[in-house]
Amino acid sequence: MSTEEAGDIFHRARGRTLDAFSSEKEREWKGPFYFIQGADPQFGLMKAWSTGDCDNGGDEWGQEIRLTEQAVQAINKLNPKPKFFVLCGDLVHAMPGTPWRKEQTEDLQRVLKAVDGEIPLVFVSGNHDVGNVPTPETIAEFQQTWGDDYFSFWVGGVLFLVLNSQFLYDASRCPALKQAQDEWLDQQLSVAGQRTCQHAVVFQHIPLFLQSVDEEDDYFNLTTSVRKEMADKFAGAGVKAVFSGHYHRNAGGTYQNLDMVVSSAIGCQLGRDTHGLRVVVVTAEKIVHRYYSLDELSEKGIDDDLMDLMKEK
């Protein structure tokens, strides 16, 4: 399947928004709903990790195909349907310009093609999608394949912001693109700060922090100065939660009224968690989320207490 065909199926973000949610009516709160968050299908990492060669390995990804197919099947069985399915980065393992990237991308798009057509897909860029140090060329490739690397959309009165967190990690080779996202983000946060939305939520690949805003700098978080700047910006604008991946384990913490949610992977696990997805319920007052193994979600569906939250007026 070509990327052009994929675009027709996936309704990729264009013009910094998602056509699937372009209606002005989406700016109105109509009651509780839920969405599904996944992260790091990362086709190829399981083989690379098992051989100890994460830079050059990854020439097989049959396990990731099966796991992502299981995730898609579990989502398609859910009733009522989620409002959308967001994938928080590292869609494939092969970095830009490396072997197997095209094949991994085509296989992932083929698997995702089976997602129920009434469930829009939201794609977030990760370091393996645009490179650890992104360039204008790697960003352009991501945009061509998966859509805009940062954008916003409204669903049921809630403002969702998708960020390219590689700009927060190292934008030395694309400073103008980072500046453009910074300016765009300030505009979006000013809307959130006016409290015209029921909630504001951010999706990005790299977490601000794993447990605490004061933790040590690490490969899996943003540097202290960037982390605190962004956390203050988000908290000041009333952002309710940031959902990320990257860590391949479940983690998270809070900063002021901001919930930092780190979800483990659909693909390769680096800790003791299971391959899984996160169910996120949005009510008038709060955002409640729970991580499910793929087996749990496939066999049992969503727990009654979360379903009950969606019946509240």
Side-chain angles (χ1 to χ4, degrees):
M1 178 170 57
S2 71
T3 54
E4 287 76 14
E5 291 174 308
D8 294 336
I9 296 161
F10 297 145
H11 305 290
R12 294 173 296 183
R14 289 282 183 257
R16 303 299 173 200
T17 192
L18 267 180
D19 284 347
F21 298 113
S22 59
S23 168
E24 282 294 314
K25 292 179 181 177
E26 290 292 354
R27 293 175 180 254
E28 302 168 12
W29 176 255
K30 296 190 179 71
F33 63 88
Y34 81 103
F35 63 88
I36 300 293
Q37 183 215 6
D40 301 272
Q42 204 160 340
F43 280 25
L45 176 58
M46 293 177 81
K47 170 71 180 294
W49 186 259
S50 69
T51 60
D53 187 4
C54 284
D55 291 334
N56 302 302
D59 58 345
E60 296 174 13
W61 48 93
Q63 288 176 279
E64 286 96 339
I65 287 176
R66 289 189 291 275
L67 290 162
T68 308
E69 286 175 340
Q70 185 181 1
V72 169
Q73 290 161 6
I75 291 168
N76 286 346
K77 285 165 62 176
L78 295 173
N79 184 26
K81 299 180 196 298
K83 286 287 188 179
F84 58 87
F85 172 29
V86 58
L87 273 170
C88 281
D90 279 3
L91 306 174
V92 299
H93 181 62
M95 290 280 192
T98 64
W100 308 303
R101 182 172 174 88
K102 179 174 180 287
E103 293 83 358
Q104 290 173 1
T105 299
E106 288 176 349
D107 278 348
L108 177 59
Q109 290 183 334
R110 176 180 54 78
V111 173
L112 293 177
K113 183 181 177 183
V115 173
D116 187 311
E118 294 181 27
I119 304 172
L121 284 152
V122 179
F123 298 113
V124 182
S125 63
N127 56 305
H128 282 262
D129 304 311
V130 298
N132 285 321
V133 186
T135 67
E137 292 75 24
T138 65
I139 299 297
E141 185 212 351
F142 179 86
Q143 292 173 334
Q144 177 63 31
T145 306
W146 299 107
D148 285 348
D149 55 322
Y150 62 91
F151 55 96
S152 65
F153 60 99
W154 291 78
V155 177
V158 177
L159 175 61
F160 292 95
L161 307 178
V162 172
L163 299 186
N164 181 343
S165 56
Q166 290 313 117
F167 291 155
L168 306 175
Y169 176 81
D170 187 343
S172 58
R173 297 178 66 186
C174 54
L177 295 180
K178 177 190 185 298
Q179 183 179 353
Q181 177 175 267
D182 289 346
E183 293 172 356
W184 171 88
L185 177 60
D186 286 343
Q187 292 173 341
Q188 297 294 317
L189 291 178
S190 73
V191 173
Q194 294 164 15
R195 305 299 194 270
T196 53
C197 50
Q198 192 74 22
H199 304 294
V201 174
V202 170
F203 300 121
Q204 61 185 56
H205 179 61
I206 303 178
L208 298 175
F209 54 86
L210 301 175
Q211 294 177 315
S212 166
V213 76
D214 297 316
E215 69 196 21
E216 296 291 314
D217 290 357
D218 185 275
Y219 170 78
F220 290 109
N221 60 20
L222 293 173
T223 60
T224 302
S225 59
V226 173
R227 174 196 321 158
K228 290 189 171 178
E229 177 192 354
M230 298 306 293
D232 283 333
K233 267 190 180 185
F234 292 155
V239 172
K240 217 38 168 285
V242 177
F243 290 89
S244 295
H246 190 51
Y247 192 42
H248 294 255
R249 285 156 282 207
N250 287 310
T254 56
Y255 175 72
Q256 297 179 17
N257 293 320
L258 178 70
D259 194 8
M260 179 66 245
V261 185
V262 185
S263 293
S264 196
I266 293 171
C268 188
Q269 300 298 309
L270 301 186
R272 297 181 177 180
D273 293 296
T274 53
H275 309 282
L277 296 164
R278 190 173 296 275
V279 174
V280 186
V281 178
V282 182
T283 75
E285 290 79 32
K286 59 190 177 181
I287 295 174
V288 181
H289 51 86
R290 186 170 301 158
Y291 189 84
Y292 287 83
S293 74
L294 296 181
D295 289 341
E296 284 177 319
L297 197 60
S298 297
E299 294 164 12
K300 300 178 184 175
I302 299 171
D303 292 321
D304 289 343
D305 62 323
L306 293 184
M307 295 297 285
D308 289 343
L309 288 174
M310 285 183 274
K311 296 172 185 172
E312 295 177 3
K313 296 300 180 188

PDB file of all heavy atoms in Angstrom, residues 32-58:
ATOM      1  N   PRO A  32     -19.753  12.643  28.558  1.00  0.00           N
ATOM      2  CA  PRO A  32     -18.541  11.817  28.637  1.00  0.00           C
ATOM      3  C   PRO A  32     -18.309  10.977  27.386  1.00  0.00           C
ATOM      4  O   PRO A  32     -19.253  10.572  26.693  1.00  0.00           O
ATOM      5  CB  PRO A  32     -18.807  10.919  29.846  1.00  0.00           C
ATOM      6  CG  PRO A  32     -19.824  11.640  30.656  1.00  0.00           C
ATOM      7  CD  PRO A  32     -20.685  12.355  29.667  1.00  0.00           C
ATOM      8  N   PHE A  33     -17.044  10.724  27.107  1.00  0.00           N
ATOM      9  CA  PHE A  33     -16.647   9.847  26.004  1.00  0.00           C
ATOM     10  C   PHE A  33     -15.305   9.233  26.356  1.00  0.00           C
ATOM     11  O   PHE A  33     -14.711   9.539  27.395  1.00  0.00           O
ATOM     12  CB  PHE A  33     -16.580  10.616  24.673  1.00  0.00           C
ATOM     13  CG  PHE A  33     -15.556  11.714  24.631  1.00  0.00           C
ATOM     14  CD1 PHE A  33     -14.235  11.465  24.236  1.00  0.00           C
ATOM     15  CD2 PHE A  33     -15.895  13.026  24.967  1.00  0.00           C
ATOM     16  CE1 PHE A  33     -13.289  12.475  24.189  1.00  0.00           C
ATOM     17  CE2 PHE A  33     -14.950  14.057  24.924  1.00  0.00           C
ATOM     18  CZ  PHE A  33     -13.645  13.774  24.535  1.00  0.00           C
ATOM     19  N   TYR A  34     -14.824   8.358  25.483  1.00  0.00           N
ATOM     20  CA  TYR A  34     -13.506   7.778  25.736  1.00  0.00           C
ATOM     21  C   TYR A  34     -12.734   7.626  24.442  1.00  0.00           C
ATOM     22  O   TYR A  34     -13.286   7.666  23.337  1.00  0.00           O
ATOM     23  CB  TYR A  34     -13.623   6.428  26.452  1.00  0.00           C
ATOM     24  CG  TYR A  34     -13.932   5.229  25.583  1.00  0.00           C
ATOM     25  CD1 TYR A  34     -12.934   4.314  25.236  1.00  0.00           C
ATOM     26  CD2 TYR A  34     -15.218   4.995  25.100  1.00  0.00           C
ATOM     27  CE1 TYR A  34     -13.209   3.202  24.444  1.00  0.00           C
ATOM     28  CE2 TYR A  34     -15.502   3.887  24.310  1.00  0.00           C
ATOM     29  CZ  TYR A  34     -14.492   3.000  23.987  1.00  0.00           C
ATOM     30  OH  TYR A  34     -14.767   1.907  23.202  1.00  0.00           O
ATOM     31  N   PHE A  35     -11.416   7.491  24.582  1.00  0.00           N
ATOM     32  CA  PHE A  35     -10.555   7.198  23.448  1.00  0.00           C
ATOM     33  C   PHE A  35      -9.525   6.158  23.883  1.00  0.00           C
ATOM     34  O   PHE A  35      -9.401   5.836  25.067  1.00  0.00           O
ATOM     35  CB  PHE A  35      -9.885   8.463  22.897  1.00  0.00           C
ATOM     36  CG  PHE A  35      -8.954   9.176  23.852  1.00  0.00           C
ATOM     37  CD1 PHE A  35      -7.599   8.832  23.937  1.00  0.00           C
ATOM     38  CD2 PHE A  35      -9.411  10.230  24.657  1.00  0.00           C
ATOM     39  CE1 PHE A  35      -6.742   9.486  24.794  1.00  0.00           C
ATOM     40  CE2 PHE A  35      -8.553  10.895  25.513  1.00  0.00           C
ATOM     41  CZ  PHE A  35      -7.212  10.517  25.582  1.00  0.00           C
ATOM     42  N   ILE A  36      -8.801   5.622  22.911  1.00  0.00           N
ATOM     43  CA  ILE A  36      -7.776   4.619  23.167  1.00  0.00           C
ATOM     44  C   ILE A  36      -6.404   5.220  22.855  1.00  0.00           C
ATOM     45  O   ILE A  36      -6.212   5.814  21.779  1.00  0.00           O
ATOM     46  CB  ILE A  36      -7.985   3.356  22.301  1.00  0.00           C
ATOM     47  CG1 ILE A  36      -9.349   2.718  22.581  1.00  0.00           C
ATOM     48  CG2 ILE A  36      -6.844   2.354  22.526  1.00  0.00           C
ATOM     49  CD1 ILE A  36      -9.507   2.135  23.969  1.00  0.00           C
ATOM     50  N   GLN A  37      -5.479   5.054  23.789  1.00  0.00           N
ATOM     51  CA  GLN A  37      -4.094   5.441  23.538  1.00  0.00           C
ATOM     52  C   GLN A  37      -3.220   4.196  23.421  1.00  0.00           C
ATOM     53  O   GLN A  37      -3.284   3.290  24.257  1.00  0.00           O
ATOM     54  CB  GLN A  37      -3.535   6.309  24.670  1.00  0.00           C
ATOM     55  CG  GLN A  37      -2.104   6.779  24.384  1.00  0.00           C
ATOM     56  CD  GLN A  37      -1.218   6.871  25.621  1.00  0.00           C
ATOM     57  OE1 GLN A  37      -1.617   6.479  26.719  1.00  0.00           O
ATOM     58  NE2 GLN A  37      -0.018   7.380  25.459  1.00  0.00           N
ATOM     59  N   GLY A  38      -2.415   4.161  22.381  1.00  0.00           N
ATOM     60  CA  GLY A  38      -1.381   3.149  22.241  1.00  0.00           C
ATOM     61  C   GLY A  38      -0.054   3.841  21.998  1.00  0.00           C
ATOM     62  O   GLY A  38      -0.007   5.041  21.694  1.00  0.00           O
ATOM     63  N   ALA A  39       1.021   3.113  22.128  1.00  0.00           N
ATOM     64  CA  ALA A  39       2.344   3.689  21.892  1.00  0.00           C
ATOM     65  C   ALA A  39       3.304   2.609  21.418  1.00  0.00           C
ATOM     66  O   ALA A  39       3.137   1.427  21.736  1.00  0.00           O
ATOM     67  CB  ALA A  39       2.885   4.347  23.164  1.00  0.00           C
ATOM     68  N   ASP A  40       4.293   3.037  20.662  1.00  0.00           N
ATOM     69  CA  ASP A  40       5.458   2.210  20.333  1.00  0.00           C
ATOM     70  C   ASP A  40       5.140   0.815  19.776  1.00  0.00           C
ATOM     71  O   ASP A  40       5.614  -0.184  20.322  1.00  0.00           O
ATOM     72  CB  ASP A  40       6.349   2.080  21.574  1.00  0.00           C
ATOM     73  CG  ASP A  40       6.830   3.422  22.096  1.00  0.00           C
ATOM     74  OD1 ASP A  40       7.868   3.893  21.633  1.00  0.00           O
ATOM     75  OD2 ASP A  40       6.134   3.994  22.968  1.00  0.00           O
ATOM     76  N   PRO A  41       4.382   0.741  18.678  1.00  0.00           N
ATOM     77  CA  PRO A  41       4.328  -0.559  18.006  1.00  0.00           C
ATOM     78  C   PRO A  41       5.731  -0.940  17.511  1.00  0.00           C
ATOM     79  O   PRO A  41       6.125  -2.093  17.558  1.00  0.00           O
ATOM     80  CB  PRO A  41       3.344  -0.336  16.855  1.00  0.00           C
ATOM     81  CG  PRO A  41       3.219   1.142  16.692  1.00  0.00           C
ATOM     82  CD  PRO A  41       3.514   1.744  18.032  1.00  0.00           C
ATOM     83  N   GLN A  42       6.454   0.041  17.055  1.00  0.00           N
ATOM     84  CA  GLN A  42       7.901  -0.003  16.765  1.00  0.00           C
ATOM     85  C   GLN A  42       8.329  -1.303  16.079  1.00  0.00           C
ATOM     86  O   GLN A  42       9.172  -2.051  16.599  1.00  0.00           O
ATOM     87  CB  GLN A  42       8.713   0.244  18.034  1.00  0.00           C
ATOM     88  CG  GLN A  42      10.113   0.784  17.738  1.00  0.00           C
ATOM     89  CD  GLN A  42      10.748   1.479  18.916  1.00  0.00           C
ATOM     90  OE1 GLN A  42      10.070   1.903  19.854  1.00  0.00           O
ATOM     91  NE2 GLN A  42      12.055   1.640  18.876  1.00  0.00           N
ATOM     92  N   PHE A  43       7.761  -1.528  14.907  1.00  0.00           N
ATOM     93  CA  PHE A  43       8.051  -2.745  14.149  1.00  0.00           C
ATOM     94  C   PHE A  43       9.563  -2.918  13.976  1.00  0.00           C
ATOM     95  O   PHE A  43      10.226  -2.069  13.382  1.00  0.00           O
ATOM     96  CB  PHE A  43       7.387  -2.678  12.774  1.00  0.00           C
ATOM     97  CG  PHE A  43       5.910  -3.007  12.777  1.00  0.00           C
ATOM     98  CD1 PHE A  43       5.133  -2.831  13.912  1.00  0.00           C
ATOM     99  CD2 PHE A  43       5.296  -3.491  11.634  1.00  0.00           C
ATOM    100  CE1 PHE A  43       3.786  -3.140  13.905  1.00  0.00           C
ATOM    101  CE2 PHE A  43       3.947  -3.796  11.607  1.00  0.00           C
ATOM    102  CZ  PHE A  43       3.189  -3.625  12.759  1.00  0.00           C
ATOM    103  N   GLY A  44      10.108  -4.025  14.493  1.00  0.00           N
ATOM    104  CA  GLY A  44      11.523  -4.339  14.360  1.00  0.00           C
ATOM    105  C   GLY A  44      12.308  -4.309  15.652  1.00  0.00           C
ATOM    106  O   GLY A  44      13.391  -4.895  15.738  1.00  0.00           O
ATOM    107  N   LEU A  45      11.791  -3.641  16.704  1.00  0.00           N
ATOM    108  CA  LEU A  45      12.572  -3.502  17.936  1.00  0.00           C
ATOM    109  C   LEU A  45      12.719  -4.832  18.683  1.00  0.00           C
ATOM    110  O   LEU A  45      13.764  -5.085  19.291  1.00  0.00           O
ATOM    111  CB  LEU A  45      11.958  -2.447  18.867  1.00  0.00           C
ATOM    112  CG  LEU A  45      12.646  -2.285  20.226  1.00  0.00           C
ATOM    113  CD1 LEU A  45      14.128  -1.915  20.069  1.00  0.00           C
ATOM    114  CD2 LEU A  45      11.930  -1.254  21.099  1.00  0.00           C
ATOM    115  N   MET A  46      11.702  -5.666  18.660  1.00  0.00           N
ATOM    116  CA  MET A  46      11.778  -6.901  19.460  1.00  0.00           C
ATOM    117  C   MET A  46      12.950  -7.770  19.000  1.00  0.00           C
ATOM    118  O   MET A  46      13.708  -8.296  19.822  1.00  0.00           O
ATOM    119  CB  MET A  46      10.445  -7.658  19.390  1.00  0.00           C
ATOM    120  CG  MET A  46       9.325  -6.893  20.077  1.00  0.00           C
ATOM    121  SD  MET A  46       7.697  -7.669  19.974  1.00  0.00           S
ATOM    122  CE  MET A  46       7.828  -8.879  21.267  1.00  0.00           C
ATOM    123  N   LYS A  47      13.144  -7.886  17.694  1.00  0.00           N
ATOM    124  CA  LYS A  47      14.296  -8.649  17.192  1.00  0.00           C
ATOM    125  C   LYS A  47      15.599  -7.908  17.532  1.00  0.00           C
ATOM    126  O   LYS A  47      16.573  -8.530  17.990  1.00  0.00           O
ATOM    127  CB  LYS A  47      14.163  -8.835  15.679  1.00  0.00           C
ATOM    128  CG  LYS A  47      15.401  -9.404  14.975  1.00  0.00           C
ATOM    129  CD  LYS A  47      15.634 -10.866  15.303  1.00  0.00           C
ATOM    130  CE  LYS A  47      16.875 -11.422  14.579  1.00  0.00           C
ATOM    131  NZ  LYS A  47      16.719 -11.453  13.115  1.00  0.00           N
ATOM    132  N   ALA A  48      15.623  -6.604  17.314  1.00  0.00           N
ATOM    133  CA  ALA A  48      16.844  -5.836  17.575  1.00  0.00           C
ATOM    134  C   ALA A  48      17.228  -5.911  19.051  1.00  0.00           C
ATOM    135  O   ALA A  48      18.408  -6.062  19.394  1.00  0.00           O
ATOM    136  CB  ALA A  48      16.637  -4.379  17.152  1.00  0.00           C
ATOM    137  N   TRP A  49      16.242  -5.808  19.937  1.00  0.00           N
ATOM    138  CA  TRP A  49      16.498  -5.849  21.378  1.00  0.00           C
ATOM    139  C   TRP A  49      17.000  -7.234  21.789  1.00  0.00           C
ATOM    140  O   TRP A  49      17.928  -7.363  22.596  1.00  0.00           O
ATOM    141  CB  TRP A  49      15.227  -5.491  22.130  1.00  0.00           C
ATOM    142  CG  TRP A  49      15.397  -5.365  23.617  1.00  0.00           C
ATOM    143  CD1 TRP A  49      15.075  -6.283  24.562  1.00  0.00           C
ATOM    144  CD2 TRP A  49      15.937  -4.247  24.326  1.00  0.00           C
ATOM    145  NE1 TRP A  49      15.362  -5.813  25.822  1.00  0.00           N
ATOM    146  CE2 TRP A  49      15.903  -4.562  25.708  1.00  0.00           C
ATOM    147  CE3 TRP A  49      16.436  -3.002  23.938  1.00  0.00           C
ATOM    148  CZ2 TRP A  49      16.349  -3.681  26.694  1.00  0.00           C
ATOM    149  CZ3 TRP A  49      16.883  -2.126  24.911  1.00  0.00           C
ATOM    150  CH2 TRP A  49      16.846  -2.477  26.274  1.00  0.00           C
ATOM    151  N   SER A  50      16.420  -8.263  21.208  1.00  0.00           N
ATOM    152  CA  SER A  50      16.789  -9.632  21.591  1.00  0.00           C
ATOM    153  C   SER A  50      18.214  -9.975  21.145  1.00  0.00           C
ATOM    154  O   SER A  50      18.886 -10.805  21.769  1.00  0.00           O
ATOM    155  CB  SER A  50      15.806 -10.646  21.003  1.00  0.00           C
ATOM    156  OG  SER A  50      15.941 -10.721  19.594  1.00  0.00           O
ATOM    157  N   THR A  51      18.678  -9.333  20.088  1.00  0.00           N
ATOM    158  CA  THR A  51      20.038  -9.598  19.604  1.00  0.00           C
ATOM    159  C   THR A  51      21.058  -8.614  20.149  1.00  0.00           C
ATOM    160  O   THR A  51      22.252  -8.740  19.879  1.00  0.00           O
ATOM    161  CB  THR A  51      20.086  -9.546  18.061  1.00  0.00           C
ATOM    162  OG1 THR A  51      19.674  -8.238  17.622  1.00  0.00           O
ATOM    163  CG2 THR A  51      19.168 -10.601  17.454  1.00  0.00           C
ATOM    164  N   GLY A  52      20.577  -7.617  20.908  1.00  0.00           N
ATOM    165  CA  GLY A  52      21.487  -6.628  21.484  1.00  0.00           C
ATOM    166  C   GLY A  52      22.029  -5.637  20.479  1.00  0.00           C
ATOM    167  O   GLY A  52      23.048  -4.982  20.730  1.00  0.00           O
ATOM    168  N   ASP A  53      21.371  -5.488  19.345  1.00  0.00           N
ATOM    169  CA  ASP A  53      21.841  -4.574  18.306  1.00  0.00           C
ATOM    170  C   ASP A  53      20.705  -3.636  17.904  1.00  0.00           C
ATOM    171  O   ASP A  53      20.100  -3.782  16.845  1.00  0.00           O
ATOM    172  CB  ASP A  53      22.343  -5.375  17.093  1.00  0.00           C
ATOM    173  CG  ASP A  53      23.010  -4.484  16.051  1.00  0.00           C
ATOM    174  OD1 ASP A  53      23.155  -3.276  16.305  1.00  0.00           O
ATOM    175  OD2 ASP A  53      23.382  -5.014  14.977  1.00  0.00           O
ATOM    176  N   CYS A  54      20.413  -2.683  18.782  1.00  0.00           N
ATOM    177  CA  CYS A  54      19.266  -1.804  18.540  1.00  0.00           C
ATOM    178  C   CYS A  54      19.517  -0.809  17.411  1.00  0.00           C
ATOM    179  O   CYS A  54      18.579  -0.268  16.837  1.00  0.00           O
ATOM    180  CB  CYS A  54      18.890  -1.066  19.823  1.00  0.00           C
ATOM    181  SG  CYS A  54      18.012  -2.125  20.982  1.00  0.00           S
ATOM    182  N   ASP A  55      20.799  -0.543  17.106  1.00  0.00           N
ATOM    183  CA  ASP A  55      21.096   0.421  16.048  1.00  0.00           C
ATOM    184  C   ASP A  55      20.961  -0.184  14.656  1.00  0.00           C
ATOM    185  O   ASP A  55      20.487   0.469  13.733  1.00  0.00           O
ATOM    186  CB  ASP A  55      22.515   0.985  16.223  1.00  0.00           C
ATOM    187  CG  ASP A  55      22.623   1.876  17.457  1.00  0.00           C
ATOM    188  OD1 ASP A  55      21.583   2.431  17.863  1.00  0.00           O
ATOM    189  OD2 ASP A  55      23.728   1.999  18.012  1.00  0.00           O
ATOM    190  N   ASN A  56      21.369  -1.423  14.512  1.00  0.00           N
ATOM    191  CA  ASN A  56      21.394  -2.022  13.176  1.00  0.00           C
ATOM    192  C   ASN A  56      20.467  -3.219  13.023  1.00  0.00           C
ATOM    193  O   ASN A  56      20.223  -3.668  11.907  1.00  0.00           O
ATOM    194  CB  ASN A  56      22.825  -2.461  12.829  1.00  0.00           C
ATOM    195  CG  ASN A  56      23.796  -1.295  12.880  1.00  0.00           C
ATOM    196  OD1 ASN A  56      23.619  -0.310  12.184  1.00  0.00           O
ATOM    197  ND2 ASN A  56      24.821  -1.392  13.731  1.00  0.00           N
ATOM    198  N   GLY A  57      19.976  -3.765  14.129  1.00  0.00           N
ATOM    199  CA  GLY A  57      19.114  -4.936  14.061  1.00  0.00           C
ATOM    200  C   GLY A  57      17.696  -4.570  13.663  1.00  0.00           C
ATOM    201  O   GLY A  57      17.387  -3.432  13.347  1.00  0.00           O
ATOM    202  N   GLY A  58      16.826  -5.559  13.699  1.00  0.00           N
ATOM    203  CA  GLY A  58      15.416  -5.290  13.425  1.00  0.00           C
ATOM    204  C   GLY A  58      14.973  -5.721  12.048  1.00  0.00           C
ATOM    205  O   GLY A  58      14.131  -5.080  11.426  1.00  0.00           O
TER     206      GLY A  58
END
